[in-house]
Amino acid sequence: MDMNTTIRTFIEFYRERGHRLIEGSTLVPPDGDPVMFTTAGMHPLTRYLEGDPHPLGRQLVGIQRCLRTTDLDEIGDNTHLTVFQMLGSWSLGEYDGPQSLRFGLELLCEGFGLRKERLHATVFGGDEQVGPDVRSLETWYELGLPVEPTVEDNWWSNGPTGPCGPDSEIFVWTGDGRPVGTPTTDDRWAEIWNHVTMRYHRLEDGSLQPLTQSSVDTGMGLERLMMATHGVRSVFETDVFRPWLFELHNRWQPDTRSLRIISDHLRSSVVVIGDGVRPSSTGRGYVLRRLLRRGLTEMWRDDSSRTLSELSEDLIGDTLSRFGQDILPSVVRDVLVAEERKFCGLLSRGRSLLQRLYPEGRLTEQDYWYLHDTHGLPRDLVTDLVTELVGGLQ
Ligand code: SER
């Protein structure tokens, strides 16, 4: 099942069950929104999950692009991505969590052909504020799925305050042979779908206020679902990433981990640029800059002559079209190449300054400020250069 068929199958399943399709928003939330990027499918629906009536009704379905920098250090493993697409369904006070789990299992097994024997669930086991999610536990027993209770991993919130609640996650077995263990004991269980029962609003003081209506918010990573339906072990082996892996492998032959990191960071940068963000020294632009620089550092690890100007417009265009972005690939490539040039300039200036001023690689707090204020060298870049310098001295 290719990407478009996967999306269509998901949306049609929910439409046939009375859900209306909502349009996804960009990665950039509207003005006044406290978050920097859209991080979950529910994000644009926050006020409706807190009780405002949605103009399209009480059952919704959609697909939303998301960006998460919290997982940056995990990139390179089988399942984490910086930018990804999230398939979502919502019941705004209409049906309850157990019904959502029933829909979910039906869609995974009958719609996407996954085998029940290769699925596992987790549920909220309770803490000092909220009791265990017995109804979800019983629902999984009824449906015949093995289930494991956990605490932190089964509570979802979009931030320190706001709507939140217990969730139930569905995992798929990605190992060879028969599944063994549970999601907390064997990482070959990959989480693909989260069903959250939004029942509370968390206040500043940490207390929980029950919402006037209980809603359900589900989110499934499209790339992870495709990993499961393709029967492969990593999101990088799905057809979403094939063009990236093919081109970067042919061009530069990096090792597998590097190939994944470079693909993730460059592809994510393309999408962020496609949503109108440009590299800068603050806010969203800085997130983009950091992401791109991490990608470049990885790209140059084995060969510093590699350059983003070698990326084909077809590759950039493929990503833009998968995310429905209407911007010329050449424009995106120009932004990438200009930022690469700037980074190269900073690196060579930083290297020669460090060698001249701090040949031992010992810097005080004041030195960092000096390099930043007088020479425009950001602290994290200096830290990387110091590591490089000290490594060279050993
Ligand atoms: N908000 C939940 C998540 O992002 C379910 O969509 O996992």
Side-chain angles (χ1 to χ4, degrees), residues 342-355:
K342 189 164 192 161
F343 188 39
C344 278
L346 264 185
L347 283 175
S348 63
R349 202 159 72 240
R351 270 193 199 108
S352 65
L353 270 170
L354 281 182
Q355 276 159 4

Side-chain angles (χ1 to χ4, degrees), residues 39-43 49 66 68 84 86-90 156-158 167 169 191 193-196 198 217-220:
T39 55
M42 55 70 69
H43 185 90
L49 288 163
C66 302
R68 288 188 184 173
F84 60 97
M86 191 183 270
L87 298 159
S89 65
W90 295 275
W156 205 86
S157 50
N158 193 36
D167 66 47
E169 298 179 332
E191 184 213 330
W193 201 351
N194 190 8
H195 292 237
V196 186
M198 294 282 192
D217 151 46
T218 86
M220 173 155 61

